Amino acid sequence: MEPSRATTRRHLSTSPFKPRVPEPVKTFEEGDRVSHDKEGLGRITAVEGTHAVVVDLGGGRLLRVVSPFDKLHLL
């Protein structure tokens, strides 16, 4: 059995269903206060384009979070 491919289907104009709307991309800036689902509260110390951010969690702990930022929420 072959694994299924992750493809997106195009929306037909005659379909009675609404087209799927993509989620907006989360953006962060240095100094933003954030909450991580597992690690807790922190502050953004570095932004690496739209691909990753570095979060200072306090006590010398740094966490690099890569896109998509599902577990990272802006406060």
Side-chain angles (χ1 to χ4, degrees):
M1 194 162 135
E2 293 182 26
S4 63
R5 291 188 218 169
T7 60
T8 57
R9 295 183 175 190
R10 65 184 177 98
H11 181 73
L12 299 175
S13 61
T14 57
S15 173
F17 303 103
K18 294 182 180 177
R20 193 175 289 172
V21 178
E23 291 186 24
V25 177
K26 290 184 181 180
T27 57
F28 298 99
E29 295 179 8
E30 288 186 30
D32 284 348
R33 299 278 299 166
V34 293
S35 172
H36 189 273
D37 288 349
K38 289 186 178 181
E39 302 295 331
L41 299 175
R43 185 177 303 273
I44 302 289
T45 57
V47 178
E48 300 171 5
T50 58
H51 304 292
V53 295
V54 177
V55 181
D56 180 10
L57 299 169
R61 294 181 3 197
L62 295 177
L63 176 69
R64 183 174 185 264
V65 182
V66 295
S67 179
F69 306 107
D70 293 335
K71 296 183 179 183
L72 198 62
H73 309 282
L74 190 62
L75 296 179

